[in-house]
């Protein structure tokens, strides 16, 4: 399998190439040159019960001959053995026809673990083969840092440095990062804001000499391998719940459009998926797009669901590529217009094409709290604000024709205890393995908002030399 850029200029690469590159050289995102196809007959032969066996079967056409099947099997087993639930993505029906799929049983209690636990291992494997090492640097406002750290901890070929604003992330979020005891994990508390942290990371990448010397890299949400890893639970849910000749719909709490795009990919591959419901909070750039055909950025407002507080959904470019019939120059023009003016519009026919598959629902903080309270009152179930948005959207969408709806639950309630307690009166407990989180020893370095100091710290603490 070869991958090409959504902007049509960059060189096509194989799986290993796109894994390591992340972003394409022309600024675009990588996509497979064609979608592997699984028709009904092929689907009946898939091992849909075992998460890792299904993943293996789905990944083989994407990975091609870049990774040996036996190596891939080991990585899959290891990645998903760290999940609390052997099912990885267990489902339960909360009312007739409305199912919740729990994607938060990984180490950091959010759905990003599903992809990152595998991607960290894929990176390590490919780097070892190439006898290379990388240094990952990233900034976090609290939420994504721990998923990246858990993905990279103990990986031989990777050192990871995560910057967070000192005193401005919640204690649970900080401790999920700073209590990881691996030698290759480095937490830096910056005396500054989250924006300062982001600026420092950008400045490190822009310092060409430093970037080359450290082999700087990122595992960001546009990496193709993250999308690929997320296709599995859509295929699995569809295979498990679709009835003869029918399909299932998915409701997806959405920020960067990465998760719901994986659902689109599963549909393109032939799995019985009907509609994809894009659920947003008040930061509703996507809802407005699906209503009007115009993508127009506004300022981000903070909500109860911070992981969806986004005004630019970077993975949307992958869908835009299909709406532009694979015309990379057209995609590049629209994205450039968006960069310059904060908006772009598609033609009515393109909007109709998108609306043939996607619905969109906006749930504000009041609606989020109401859904959390309702679920607790009706079934004793505690859900986090992101998951509540997905479930409320799924409920609003449920059709009379009996098509099952699967709402994706993207975070564990204990990840957002204050919001859950405010809505339900109950403070959710951390899962057993994290119960002593508040007693564990922390490791972090406090540094000033100063590029020279940070670069010196990274240089001094990364493990030098070639990978063995
Ligand atoms: C990242 C995240 C989302 C949004 O997913 P995208 O792939 O960015 O659309 C939703 N919920 C939670 C809890 C997240 O961490």
């Amino acid at each position: 399998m070869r991958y090409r850029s959504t902007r049509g200029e960059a060189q096509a690469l194989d799986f290993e190439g796109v894994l390591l590159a992340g972003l394409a050289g022309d600024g675009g995102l990588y996509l497979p040159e064609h979608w592997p196809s699984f028709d009904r007959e092929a689907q009946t032969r898939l091992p849909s019960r075992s998460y890792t066996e299904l993943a293996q079967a789905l990944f083989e056409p994407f990975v091609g001959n870049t990774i040996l099947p036996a190596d891939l099997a080991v990585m899959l087993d290891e990645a998903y053995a760290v999940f609390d639930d052997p099912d990885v993505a267990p489902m339960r029906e909360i009312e007739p026809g409305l199912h919740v799929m729990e994607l938060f049983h990984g180490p950091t209690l959010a759905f990003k673990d599903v992809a990152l636990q595998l991607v960290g291992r894929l990176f390590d494997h490919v780097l070892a083969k190439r006898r290379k090492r990388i240094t990952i640097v990233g900034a976090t406002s609290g939420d994504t840092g721990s998923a990246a750290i858990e993905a990279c901890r103990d990986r031989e070929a990777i050192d990871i440095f995560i910057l967070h604003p000192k005193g401005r992330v919640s204690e649970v979020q900080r401790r999920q990062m700073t209590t990881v005891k691996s030698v290759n994990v480095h937490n830096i508390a910056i005396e500054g804001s989250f924006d300062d942290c982001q600026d420092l990371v950008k400045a490190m990448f822009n310092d060409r000499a430093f970037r080359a010397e450290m082999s700087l890299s990122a595992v960001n949400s546009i990496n193709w391998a993250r999308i690929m890893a997320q296709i599995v639970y859509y295929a699995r849910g569809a295979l498990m719940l679709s009835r003869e000749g029918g399909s299932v719909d998915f409701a997806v709490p959405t920020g960067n459009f990465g998760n719901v795009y994986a659902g689109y990919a599963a549909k393109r591959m032939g799995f019985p998926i009907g509609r994809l419901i894009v659920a947003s909070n008040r930061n509703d750039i996507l809802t407005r797009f699906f209503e009007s055909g115009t993508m127009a950025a506004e300022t981000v407002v903070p909500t109860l669901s911070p992981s969806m507080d986004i005004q630019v959904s970077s993975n949307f470019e992958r869908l835009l590529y299909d709406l532009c019939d694979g015309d990379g120059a057209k995609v590049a023009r629209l994205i450039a217009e968006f960069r310059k003016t904060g908006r772009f519009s598609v033609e009515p026919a393109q909007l109709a094409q998108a609306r043939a598959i996607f619905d969109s629902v906006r749930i504000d903080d009041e609606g989020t709290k109401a859904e959390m309270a309702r679920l607790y009152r009706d079934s004793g179930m505690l859900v986090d604000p992101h998951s509540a948005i997905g479930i409320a959207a799924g409920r609003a969408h449920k059709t009379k024709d009996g098509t099952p709806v699967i709402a994706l639950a993207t975070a564990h309630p204990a990840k957002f205890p204050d919001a859950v307690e405010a809505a339900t009166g109950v403070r959710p407990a951390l899962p057993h393995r994290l119960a002593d989180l508040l007693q564990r020893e922390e490791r972090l370095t406090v540094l000033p908002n100063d590029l020279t100091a940070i670069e010196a710290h990274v240089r001094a603490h990364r493990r030098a030399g070639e990978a063995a």
Side-chain angles (χ1 to χ4, degrees):
M1 174 75 76
R2 312 274 301 165
Y3 294 81
R4 61 179 157 219
S5 163
T6 49
R7 300 196 193 166
E9 292 287 330
Q11 189 196 352
L13 296 176
D14 65 6
F15 179 76
E16 261 189 47
V18 298
L19 175 75
L20 295 182
L23 201 66
D26 58 5
L29 279 57
Y30 281 109
L31 279 174
E33 278 184 341
H34 66 269
W35 293 106
S37 160
F38 292 84
D39 60 19
R40 289 271 165 172
E41 208 272 317
Q43 287 172 25
T44 58
R45 283 185 275 114
L46 285 170
S48 62
R49 292 270 148 201
S50 154
Y51 192 92
T52 50
E53 285 174 23
L54 177 62
Q56 173 102 21
L58 296 185
F59 294 167
E60 274 174 11
F62 288 119
V63 169
N65 54 15
T66 59
I67 294 174
L68 293 174
D71 291 338
L72 183 59
V74 170
M75 285 185 263
L76 281 166
D77 281 344
E78 287 181 4
Y80 296 113
V82 302
F83 277 59
D84 277 338
D85 195 301
D87 232 9
V88 183
M91 282 195 286
R92 54 166 138 168
E93 189 166 16
I94 58 167
E95 62 179 58
L98 181 59
H99 303 255
V100 173
M101 180 185 266
E102 297 177 352
L103 299 175
F104 53 68
H105 293 286
T108 74
L109 311 179
F111 97 98
K112 291 187 177 66
D113 291 330
V114 179
L116 282 170
Q117 282 300 312
L118 178 69
V119 171
R121 287 169 170 85
L122 286 168
F123 257 86
D124 209 38
H125 178 83
V126 169
L127 289 166
K129 203 161 82 178
R130 297 188 174 195
R131 296 180 168 273
K132 281 195 175 152
R133 314 185 48 84
I134 54 169
T135 306
I136 289 186
V137 295
T140 186
S141 56
D143 214 35
T144 53
S146 57
I149 285 173
E150 286 291 344
C152 296
R153 67 181 298 177
D154 305 323
R155 306 269 79 85
E156 279 303 321
I158 304 174
D159 292 290
I160 179 165
F161 295 79
I162 296 292
L163 281 54
H164 71 262
K166 180 171 180 269
R168 301 195 202 181
V169 301
S170 80
E171 180 169 21
V172 167
Q173 287 178 329
R174 187 189 72 241
R175 284 179 164 274
Q176 278 191 302
M177 301 191 284
T178 59
T179 60
V180 172
K181 275 195 186 138
S182 308
V183 292
N184 68 330
V185 170
H186 305 274
N187 282 283
I188 304 175
I190 296 292
E191 290 170 326
S193 65
F194 171 58
D195 287 340
D196 294 332
C197 296
Q198 268 191 317
D199 288 345
L200 286 164
V201 169
K202 272 192 208 140
M204 279 188 267
F205 275 96
N206 288 336
D207 179 345
R208 282 176 175 271
F210 182 76
R211 176 181 182 162
E213 182 192 345
M214 298 294 124
S215 302
L216 287 195
S217 186
V219 223
N220 42 29
S221 73
I222 51 82
N223 197 297
W224 163 254
R226 281 179 69 169
I227 306 281
M228 179 188 80
Q230 291 166 181
I231 293 172
V232 182
Y233 48 80
Y234 287 95
R236 190 151 177 267
L239 289 173
M240 285 169 79
L241 293 188
S242 63
R243 272 159 264 157
E244 198 60 44
S247 59
V248 306
D249 296 340
F250 282 89
V252 187
T254 297
N256 243 321
F257 208 73
N259 195 356
V260 75
Y261 184 81
Y264 172 79
K267 183 175 167 75
R268 291 291 306 265
M269 289 161 71
F271 290 98
I273 294 168
R275 303 191 65 78
L276 295 162
I277 303 132
V278 176
S280 309
N281 61 26
R282 264 194 60 207
N283 297 293
D284 58 351
I285 183 167
L286 290 166
T287 315
R288 286 181 283 115
F289 172 81
F290 287 110
E291 282 164 2
S292 67
T294 296
M295 191 74 88
E298 287 176 3
T299 39
V300 177
V301 292
T303 70
L304 292 174
S305 41
S307 303
M308 296 158 64
D309 290 347
I310 269 174
Q311 278 297 341
V312 181
S313 296
S314 36
N315 275 292
F316 185 82
E317 184 169 336
R318 291 191 155 107
L319 178 66
L320 191 60
Y321 180 79
D322 278 0
L323 300 181
C324 292
D325 291 323
D327 182 343
K330 223 179 197 173
V331 173
R333 268 202 306 279
L334 289 173
I335 299 290
E337 190 182 328
F338 187 71
R339 280 270 165 75
K340 209 165 119 207
T341 66
R343 60 196 293 140
F344 71 82
S345 297
V346 299
E347 304 291 324
Q350 293 173 300
L351 179 60
Q353 192 186 334
R355 293 212 322 210
I357 297 174
F358 293 93
D359 282 319
S360 59
V361 178
R362 171 195 316 108
I363 309 285
D364 63 11
D365 278 353
E366 286 312 306
T368 306
K369 279 191 258 183
E371 183 63 44
M372 288 195 282
R374 172 180 181 159
L375 285 166
Y376 183 63
R377 189 187 61 225
D378 292 354
S379 56
M381 187 177 164
L382 294 177
V383 300
D384 99 288
H386 304 79
S387 307
I389 287 175
I391 296 168
R395 194 194 297 285
H397 164 85
K398 230 173 69 172
T399 48
K400 290 183 196 65
D401 67 5
T403 302
V405 181
I406 301 177
L408 299 184
T410 51
H412 190 287
K415 186 133 189 165
F416 298 93
D418 297 335
V420 174
E421 187 173 14
T424 64
V426 180
R427 195 159 183 89
L430 283 165
H432 188 65
R433 80 187 139 76
L434 287 172
D436 66 343
L437 186 68
L438 298 184
Q439 283 80 52
R440 289 182 197 167
E441 190 191 332
E442 292 190 80
R443 278 196 317 139
L444 81 169
T445 306
V446 179
L447 289 177
N449 177 14
D450 174 69
L451 182 64
T452 313
I454 316 283
E455 287 189 346
H457 182 83
V458 172
R459 193 179 275 116
H461 289 88
R462 75 188 260 271
R463 294 170 297 176
E466 298 289 302

